[in-house]
């Protein structure tokens, strides 16, 4: 299906994409990726066209995420990877940067809480001045060692403008390359997000990234609103994997960029495989997801949908590496059976087979039927 031309594209060009699946998932209860998972996921992300793969966390020596970081470096190179560095005080940052150098990290992202609540909890002081001094020190140390530095505003979405803007300004004055606004606690509507980001993009020399959580179901909308307001980067995760309702789901984000803004830079055919690999590696099995890479995304039980998918699909299944499928329990009809048996080599009288299968469905408790199940049932019918 052709993508329509769209007027009014993104105001400062199309955004860069970073993916935090291999980092934010560390905060998600019970989720632990291994080095093999990291290598496969990082490789698929880069093949998709993601600019930067965020992997692992470092707070000091002998990081437990060392194998994860090294596996991503082996797969896509350190220049396409970024690792989070925890910030508590100057001495701790020095040790963490030593570890980052040992692992060959080139891009770091400082995690620094900016809201009064989080700063008091994690830094022991809600003082805005202390926050700025800490950020300046950490950023200066990293730049002196040659790192590319992104600094965050953890819980930034709930941080008042009078506290947030001076902090971000101080960070760029210290030499930081990029600022990430973390919607750690889903809090803003898209129109509110535009206002917050506009305040930050007005800072001289600023480069802004948005990292939204999806508890309110607005992570993609808020990400697009941030870009509309001038942010240059979006952070997402595969399948939306992450804590607190997950993060901005990568597939939905990329397909939204394609449909709404005509953005064809990304190879979307890897998205379904990415989702499967990430869900399996995360131990989430076939847990429900929203969006275009799920098994049910292009599943239908109406013949018109199967025979005329272009009338019902924003994007075709093949574009994201997915497939179209029939799924039905009680609404089985001869046209559905005809679709399922097409090109199967199984030849039955559809008008006789359909009521036979409906009766068996009722007897067996109405299990879900897909194309393969109908084909197997047709073979059983032939033997009757």
């Amino acid at each position: 299906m052709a993508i329509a031309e769209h007027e009014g594209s993104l105001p400062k060009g199309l955004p860069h994409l970073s993916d935090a699946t291999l980092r934010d998932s560390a905060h998600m209860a019970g989720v632990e990726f291994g080095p093999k998972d990291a290598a496969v996921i990082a490789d698929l992300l880069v093949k998709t066209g993601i600019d930067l793969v965020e992997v692992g966390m470092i707070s000091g020596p002998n990081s437990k995420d060392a194998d994860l970081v090294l596996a991503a470096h082996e797969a896509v190179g350190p220049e396409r990877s970024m690792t989070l560095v925890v910030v508590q005080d100057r001495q701790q940052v020095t040790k963490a940067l030593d570890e980052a150098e040992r692992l060959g990290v080139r891009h770091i992202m400082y995690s620094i809480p900016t809201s009064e609540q989080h700063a008091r909890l994690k830094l022991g002081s809600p003082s805005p001045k202390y926050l700025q001094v800490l950020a300046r020190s950490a950023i200066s140390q990293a730049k002196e060692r040659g790192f590319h530095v992104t600094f965050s505003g953890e819980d930034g979405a709930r941080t008042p403008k009078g506290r947030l803007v001076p902090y971000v300004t101080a960070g760029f004055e210290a030499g930081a390359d990029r600022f990430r606004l973390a919607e750690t606690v889903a809090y803003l509507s898209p129109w509110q997000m535009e206002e917050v980001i506009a305040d930050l993009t007005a800072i001289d020399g600023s480069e802004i990234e948005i990292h939204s959580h999806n508890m309110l179901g607005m992570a993609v909308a808020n990400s697009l609103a941030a870009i509309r307001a001038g942010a240059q980067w979006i952070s997402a995760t595969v399948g939306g994997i992450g804590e607190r309702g997950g993060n901005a789901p990568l597939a939905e984000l990329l397909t939204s960029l394609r449909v709404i803004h005509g953005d064809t830079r990304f190879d979307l055919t890897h998205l379904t495989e990415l989702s499967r690999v990430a869900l399996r590696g995360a131990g989430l099995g076939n847990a429900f997801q929203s969006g275009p890479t799920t098994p049910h995304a292009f599943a239908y039980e109406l013949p018109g949908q199967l025979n005329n998918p272009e009338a019902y699909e924003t994007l075709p299944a093949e574009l994201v590496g997915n497939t179209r499928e029939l799924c039905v329990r009680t609404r089985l009809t001869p046209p559905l059976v005809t679709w399922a048996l097409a090109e199967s080599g199984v030849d039955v009288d559809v008008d006789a087979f359909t009521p036979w299968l409906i009766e068996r469905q009722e007897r067996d408790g109405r299990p879900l039927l897909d194309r393969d199940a109908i084909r197997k049932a047709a073979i059983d019918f032939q033997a009757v």
Side-chain angles (χ1 to χ4, degrees):
M1 183 180 73
I3 301 300
E5 294 284 334
H6 287 270
E7 297 294 332
S9 59
L10 294 167
K12 291 189 178 180
L14 297 170
H16 297 284
L17 267 292
S18 67
D19 183 277
T21 306
L22 296 171
R23 193 278 301 171
D24 208 291
S25 59
H27 300 292
M28 189 176 179
V31 174
E32 294 182 15
F33 286 109
K36 291 182 179 179
D37 299 316
V40 173
I41 291 169
D43 180 61
L44 286 170
L45 286 168
V46 168
K47 286 179 178 177
T48 299
I50 303 306
D51 297 282
L52 205 57
V53 178
E54 191 176 345
V55 54
M57 293 172 32
I58 295 173
S59 59
N62 302 314
S63 169
K64 64 181 179 61
D65 285 342
D67 289 343
L68 212 64
V69 172
L70 293 174
H73 287 181
E74 180 69 23
V76 301
E79 68 281 354
R80 297 294 293 269
S81 304
M82 178 171 70
T83 298
L84 183 147
V85 172
V86 176
V87 174
Q88 295 171 342
D89 55 49
R90 182 178 178 86
Q91 291 73 28
Q92 175 267 323
V93 167
T94 298
K95 294 177 182 178
L97 292 178
D98 288 344
E99 177 73 351
E101 286 188 328
R102 182 182 76 83
L103 297 175
V105 173
R106 297 180 187 174
H107 296 256
I108 66 166
M109 199 276 287
Y110 279 132
S111 176
I112 306 175
T114 55
S115 70
E116 184 174 336
Q117 302 96 309
H118 277 234
R120 180 183 289 110
L121 177 67
K122 298 183 177 181
L123 302 177
S125 171
S127 165
K129 183 176 181 180
Y130 175 72
L131 186 68
Q132 292 176 34
V133 169
L134 181 62
R136 284 179 181 274
S137 173
I139 292 166
S140 297
Q141 284 190 68
K143 293 305 295 181
E144 287 170 3
R145 298 189 189 211
F147 288 104
H148 182 283
V149 179
T150 297
F151 70 113
S152 79
E154 186 182 347
D155 201 24
R158 294 195 300 178
T159 303
K161 176 181 176 179
R163 182 183 177 91
L164 183 64
V165 171
Y167 164 77
V168 177
T169 301
F172 282 116
E173 288 175 350
D177 299 283
R178 183 160 69 249
F179 171 73
R180 172 184 285 182
L181 180 74
E183 197 181 12
T184 306
V185 177
Y187 184 72
L188 300 176
S189 66
W191 48 94
Q192 291 170 320
M193 179 64 76
E194 282 198 44
E195 292 181 5
V196 172
I197 294 296
D199 290 334
L200 302 180
T201 56
I203 298 170
D204 287 342
S206 65
E207 181 174 298
I208 306 300
E209 179 172 10
I210 179 62
H211 176 84
S212 282
H213 280 258
N214 204 34
M215 186 61 79
L216 301 181
M218 293 192 290
V220 170
N222 281 350
S223 297
L224 295 179
I227 296 301
R228 180 181 172 88
Q232 295 103 319
W233 285 77
I234 302 175
S235 170
T237 65
V238 178
I241 292 174
E243 60 180 342
R244 291 180 310 282
N247 298 89
L250 181 67
E252 287 91 315
L253 180 62
L254 295 186
T255 51
S256 293
L257 285 170
R258 188 181 182 96
V259 171
I260 297 169
H261 295 291
D263 187 353
T264 59
R265 295 173 297 159
F266 301 96
D267 183 353
L268 307 185
T269 61
H270 300 292
L271 290 176
T272 296
E273 183 181 0
L274 255 172
S275 293
R276 290 171 181 162
V277 170
L279 283 171
R280 184 177 65 245
L284 297 174
N286 293 318
F288 174 80
Q289 305 172 79
S290 61
T293 64
T294 63
H296 55 268
F298 296 94
Y300 303 110
E301 61 179 12
L302 297 177
Q305 294 170 330
L306 289 162
N307 294 321
N308 303 283
E310 67 279 359
Y312 298 92
E313 296 173 0
T314 303
L315 297 168
E318 297 78 11
L319 186 65
V320 295
N322 210 337
T323 55
R324 202 166 287 109
E325 185 53 88
L326 179 159
C327 287
V328 62
R329 292 185 190 275
T330 62
R331 299 190 179 100
L332 193 65
T333 61
L336 285 177
V337 171
T338 299
W339 186 88
L341 296 181
E343 300 179 1
S344 68
V346 181
D347 185 18
V348 296
D349 181 341
V350 170
D351 289 332
F353 168 60
T354 302
W356 177 89
L357 182 53
I358 290 172
E359 182 179 347
R360 194 173 83 165
Q361 277 288 95
E362 292 291 335
R363 186 180 67 243
D364 293 345
R366 301 176 180 177
L368 187 66
L369 287 173
D370 59 14
R371 177 168 32 189
D372 288 341
I374 291 174
R375 290 178 175 182
K376 290 176 182 177
I379 294 172
D380 292 341
F381 178 76
Q382 287 178 325
V384 173

